[in-house]
Structures are given as structure tokens and as C-alpha cells.
Amino acid sequence: MKIVRIIARLNVGGPARHVVWLNEALDGEEFESVLLTGSVPEGEEDMAYFADQWGVSPVYIKEMSREVSPKDLISLWKIFIQIRRHKPDIIHTHTAKAGTIGRVAGLMYRWLTPKTLIGRPRKVKIVHTFHGHVFHSYYGGVKTRLFLSIERILASLATDKIVVISEQQRKEIFEKFRIGRDSQFEIIPLGIDLEPYEDSESRHGELRDELGAADSDIIVGIIGRLTEVKNHKLFLNVASRLKGAETNGLSNLRFVIIGNGRQRAILENLAKSLNIQDVVSFLGNRNDPESLYAGLDIVALTSFNEGTPLSLIEAMTSDKPVISTLVGGVMDLLGEAVDEGNGFSIHQR
């Protein structure tokens, strides 16, 4: 079985890791997988090294990136050429941009053949995975409505299966935003290799030594791209409110922001303006997640919008408590939301 997998870019985050893992696992005697990806824009970190670590060699379409651009037409043509070259049984797209260009290219490949004239288009299945979505908290109203319309058309005309990574995500995409048909959806929860996190206690001191933290310090960390939708400003504002708190033993709190992105300078300036730069550390991108989780006491997530965040899965695997905004698949990870009159809380299942 031949598979062409398409993602817009291998930037730092769960989707890049997901497609690399899939490509590596679905390659061998039974499968032949090819990964097509675009370029990582300035201000975002490239995860090409991760693909290399797993022995995956992507085909790069340099014109394809996150933002809408006239170059998308070039990307479409190049992806169509790659699909024709590899003659896949399955085209599997990931993320919004690649989902649009890849599925249009797949539609072209299916129907642009002389055999269409006798009712025999090419036999190829087109699958799209939603890791998250861009239907709120990313763009303005007009742009969001345009993207919704495109997704509804693609789901109707160019998608055999829609994969979501949590039940909550299925409810949002199918029931709330009215994309696709119920029969198209498959829920496939994210999976990770748990083994590296099982002995996290032995690495407990590595991050703490790096920060110069005392044994009594409580270190709260947030892991993710420094971009607007991740809402790190909320994390810093909470840190400001808690700094120096004498009640409940909170006077020894430290805060760690792990990740990089175009918001870094803005967030560093915010930390200074809040006078919390002495208790907040920006560590940038790191390749030692097991050590990071081992050294944290609490893992936070403050996003406006999420699919199913790997950072929370990895934190729980490392036996760390988590605190999060109620977004995307977080509810499926942590429990059920209960309306308590003045807001929602999560009750553990």
C-alpha cells in the first residue's frame, strides 16, 4: 500500500512529531510512505532534525508554508506532480493549509485521467486529519468564515475519511461547525512512546540544577510554541498575581516557559513590565523533554484553541499534575466539565 502524507511544515509541535512517527511506522514490507512538507517561516523553529532522528526523509515543497499566498498555486502543482509520480493508494493530509492544497491535488489526481471518460477515475482514498482547527481564535470573522466554507466543500467533494484525535474535537468540527458527514469521522487518539518518561524521577534534578532552584521551590512550566493562540500572556499574568504570595506556601513559586516563536520578545517585555523577570525563565526550544518534565512540579496550558496537547499527555505520563484552559481535547484527557454556576470545572473520571 502506497501512502503520500502531506503537512504544511515541520515546525515545533505535536503535528510534526505525529506525521514523522506515522511515516516511520507505516513504511516497510507492507507499506511505502512518502512525506511531503513545506518550509518553516521565519520566527518558527524547524523540526527537520526530528525527522532525521527517525530516519524519515521528507520531500520539501519550498513554496508551501502556513500563510495564504500566490505561491500556493505552485505548491498545488508540485504536490500534484509528486502524487502522480508515487501513484498512492492513500493521500493523507494534516493541518489546514496542507489539507486544502493536498486534497485539491488529490482530487485532480483522481479525476484527471482519460479513464474518467469511461467512468473509471483513479482509485485513491483521501484522508484528512484535524490536529486542531482554525475556526476560532486565529483569524478575523471574514477569514474564518472563508476557511469554514472551504473545509465544508473539501469534506463534501474531496475527503473519504476525516480523522480527529478526540471526541470533543469531533463534536466541535462535526456538530458545532457542520463540517462533513457523521459517517466520515474516525476518532484516533494520539499515542506516544511512554518508555522514556517512565524513569523520570531519576532525572528530577537536571532542570532544577540548571535553574538554580532549591528543593523547596515549586516550578510551574508551560511547553509550546510562543504564538498568540497559546495565550502565554495569561500564564505571565497568573505568575504576576502569585509572585510573592505568602499564603498556602506559594512564596517559592518559579515559572518556566519552554518553546520559541515570534511572540518571545513581546512576552519577555511583558514579564519585565509585570516585574516578574526574576521568577520567570525563558528556556527556548529543547530536545530533552524527559528531563524537562522530570524537573517540573506542575505543567500548565493556557491556549485559546487546541486539538489534543501532547504536553499534557507527556506531563501525565511523567506523573505531573496539570492545569489547563478548557479547550479542544483537554476535556477528553482530564475528565468531564461540570457547570458549577459561576463557571466550569473539570471532574476527574
Side-chain angles (χ1 to χ4, degrees):
M1 180 177 289
K2 294 183 178 181
I3 305 167
V4 168
R5 188 166 288 104
I6 310 168
I7 188 170
R9 65 207 194 281
L10 292 178
N11 63 320
V12 169
R17 295 163 67 188
H18 181 88
V19 297
V20 168
W21 284 330
L22 272 181
N23 233 68
E24 187 273 337
L26 296 179
D27 203 17
E29 294 182 3
E30 294 183 62
F31 301 95
E32 178 183 317
S33 289
V34 176
L35 177 60
L36 309 183
T37 188
S39 56
V40 177
E42 186 177 350
E44 292 188 358
E45 296 289 324
D46 196 331
M47 281 194 75
Y49 71 87
F50 187 76
D52 187 59
Q53 287 174 359
W54 284 85
V56 174
S57 300
V59 175
Y60 288 95
I61 310 293
K62 67 178 183 179
E63 290 82 6
M64 182 166 61
S65 191
R66 180 185 178 218
E67 298 300 331
V68 176
S69 162
K71 292 182 180 180
D72 291 341
L73 293 175
I74 302 173
S75 303
L76 174 63
W77 179 250
K78 287 189 173 183
I79 289 172
F80 173 63
I81 294 299
Q82 288 291 330
I83 291 172
R84 285 194 59 182
R85 178 178 300 165
H86 293 286
K87 299 180 174 59
D89 302 291
I90 294 175
I91 297 168
H92 190 177
T93 61
H94 301 257
T95 68
K97 168 61 78 65
T100 300
I101 297 177
R103 282 182 284 176
V104 171
L107 204 61
M108 291 165 58
Y109 175 72
R110 177 182 284 168
W111 293 102
L112 293 182
T113 171
K115 291 186 177 180
T116 297
L117 298 175
I118 57 172
R120 294 177 59 191
R122 291 188 180 97
K123 293 182 179 180
V124 60
K125 296 294 184 182
I126 302 174
V127 179
H128 179 64
T129 291
F130 281 95
H131 294 270
H133 62 72
V134 295
F135 308 139
H136 69 74
S137 304
Y138 276 90
Y139 305 108
V142 173
K143 205 170 184 179
T144 298
R145 285 193 293 273
L146 173 62
F147 288 158
L148 265 173
S149 298
I150 291 171
E151 285 291 348
R152 287 167 182 157
I153 292 169
L154 289 171
S156 175
L157 301 179
T159 314
D160 294 290
K161 279 292 179 182
I162 298 171
V163 176
V164 291
I165 54 183
S166 71
E167 171 60 23
Q168 184 63 24
Q169 192 180 45
R170 188 201 68 82
K171 288 179 179 178
E172 284 191 356
I173 292 169
F174 172 61
E175 297 178 11
K176 181 178 180 180
F177 296 113
R178 304 189 308 281
I179 293 171
R181 303 178 303 278
D182 192 28
S183 60
Q184 287 178 282
F185 282 82
E186 296 288 344
I187 302 170
I188 305 179
L190 287 177
I192 64 170
D193 182 5
L194 304 182
E195 187 175 352
Y197 302 91
E198 290 175 352
D199 190 30
S200 61
E201 196 58 34
S202 66
R203 307 188 67 176
H204 177 71
E206 294 178 16
L207 175 64
R208 304 179 80 88
D209 289 344
E210 178 183 337
L211 296 172
D215 290 341
S216 59
D217 286 344
I218 299 171
I219 303 178
V220 184
I222 185 169
I223 301 173
R225 292 178 295 123
L226 306 191
T227 187
E228 291 85 349
V229 75
K230 298 295 185 180
N231 194 20
H232 287 81
K233 292 180 179 180
L234 173 59
F235 183 79
L236 291 175
N237 280 307
V238 171
S240 176
R241 293 181 62 179
L242 293 176
K243 180 188 175 184
E246 297 299 332
T247 60
N248 300 320
L250 295 180
S251 59
N252 55 342
L253 279 171
R254 300 278 298 272
F255 300 89
V256 176
I257 296 178
I258 300 161
N260 222 335
R262 57 175 180 246
Q263 284 259 301
R264 178 158 181 169
I266 294 171
L267 295 170
E268 288 176 333
N269 288 332
L270 177 59
K272 291 177 183 176
S273 68
L274 294 171
N275 194 31
I276 55 173
Q277 67 271 27
D278 58 325
V279 295
V280 176
S281 299
F282 289 81
L283 300 187
N285 284 328
R286 301 285 291 262
N287 298 326
D288 55 343
E290 301 90 349
S291 173
L292 294 174
Y293 288 110
L296 297 174
D297 295 296
I298 301 170
V299 176
L301 184 134
T302 53
S303 299
F304 290 120
N305 187 345
E306 281 285 347
T308 299
L310 272 176
S311 64
L312 296 192
I313 298 175
E314 291 168 338
M316 290 189 289
T317 303
S318 303
D319 292 328
K320 303 298 177 179
V322 300
I323 185 167
S324 174
T325 47
L326 184 57
V327 290
V330 170
M331 188 187 306
D332 297 283
L333 288 177
L334 302 187
E336 59 182 332
V338 177
D339 189 351
E340 297 185 335
N342 57 350
F344 285 91
S345 67
I346 291 289
H347 285 214
Q348 195 93 27
R349 288 198 185 99

